[in-house]
Amino acid sequence: ERNVTAGRIGYGDPVANTVEFSMMRATDDPNSIAGAESTLTLTPEGNTVYSMRAQGVLLKRHLRAQIETALSKYDRDRRADAPSVDGHAVGLQLFHETSLSRFGAKVEYLNGGFMTLGNSGITGDRVDLGVDARVQLLQGKLALGGVAGLRNDGVSTALAAETRRRNYGLNGSWQPDPRFGTDVQMSVYENESDAADSLLNLHGIPGQVVI
């Protein structure tokens, strides 16, 4: 049984300049979990996360910047007399938009101590980079776009080997007439995991083309 309390307060225009603060507190009921003595047994956990998000718009609303930072205080076993584990995360996104084009970039970092409501047995630390762009040509009849991303999971190698993920994609659409058009998408994903005590080195490059 998990009890969750959360709240959020903010000020500003959602499509312009804003700032907001959020808080979430999640605790497990110790009486809802069996008391077997084992390191594999579920424990009553607790986690408190504080976050702040701000957005600013510049250049006649063509440039938008968003920054978010968060702090978590995680308790693996509420019954144990042990200090909580502190973690932090930060993310930044930039977008430049016009009526015919869009360019965006993001960077995100979560350190090894940051915990969410997901599986606490899986390390959440990562570095994530990404860019995307889209442009319309021929009076909007032709649209071209692309995405590229780099993500490293388990960068602290505290619980598992580091995994590197790369993705690239191109897409285009052509619609010369409202009753006729076509879309083309191509994407490639590359995954590579380092070897660990119980895992071999893994490397794969799947891809797909959709028309």
Side-chain angles (χ1 to χ4, degrees):
E1 178 182 344
R2 172 168 290 170
N3 302 307
V4 179
T5 302
R8 182 177 64 177
I9 185 171
Y11 176 78
D13 185 345
V15 296
N17 300 320
T18 60
V19 61
E20 66 179 40
F21 300 90
S22 304
M23 185 277 294
M24 183 209 69
R25 172 65 175 166
T27 57
D28 294 340
D29 182 0
N31 298 322
S32 66
I33 299 177
E37 294 296 332
S38 172
T39 57
L40 301 179
T41 302
L42 291 176
T43 56
E45 304 175 42
N47 193 23
T48 303
V49 179
Y50 306 92
S51 73
M52 185 276 292
R53 177 179 176 272
Q55 174 179 271
V57 177
L58 305 170
L59 300 178
K60 298 181 179 180
R61 298 199 172 189
H62 289 318
L63 180 63
R64 186 189 310 269
Q66 297 177 353
I67 185 171
E68 184 172 5
T69 182
L71 170 68
S72 72
K73 300 181 70 65
Y74 170 70
D75 187 357
R76 183 180 181 276
D77 191 345
R78 297 180 57 211
R79 300 168 301 188
D81 184 15
S84 60
V85 177
D86 295 339
H88 59 269
V90 63
L92 174 65
Q93 298 185 65
L94 294 173
F95 304 94
H96 185 272
E97 299 173 315
T98 67
S99 59
L100 296 177
S101 65
R102 179 186 186 277
F103 176 80
K106 72 170 184 177
V107 58
E108 190 176 72
Y109 169 72
L110 286 75
N111 81 329
F114 189 81
M115 292 292 178
T116 66
L117 279 178
N119 187 346
S120 60
I122 300 177
T123 180
D125 58 320
R126 67 175 186 265
V127 176
D128 197 349
L129 307 173
V131 295
D132 68 271
R134 185 172 179 85
V135 61
Q136 296 185 22
L137 306 171
L138 303 178
Q139 298 179 340
K141 295 180 181 180
L142 176 64
L144 301 174
V147 297
L150 310 173
R151 173 168 167 166
N152 284 22
D153 292 301
V155 291
S156 69
T157 65
L159 296 178
E162 183 178 3
T163 299
R164 291 170 292 279
R165 309 176 192 274
R166 310 288 185 265
N167 66 279
Y168 318 91
L170 297 174
N171 58 78
S173 63
W174 179 55
Q175 190 168 8
D177 186 271
R179 296 167 297 179
F180 173 77
T182 182
D183 294 316
V184 178
Q185 296 180 359
M186 181 191 72
S187 55
V188 177
Y189 306 91
E190 180 178 359
N191 300 286
E192 183 175 3
S193 297
D194 291 337
D197 292 340
S198 58
L199 295 174
L200 297 175
N201 176 271
L202 300 175
H203 188 203
I205 307 180
Q208 64 178 5
V209 176
V210 179
I211 300 177

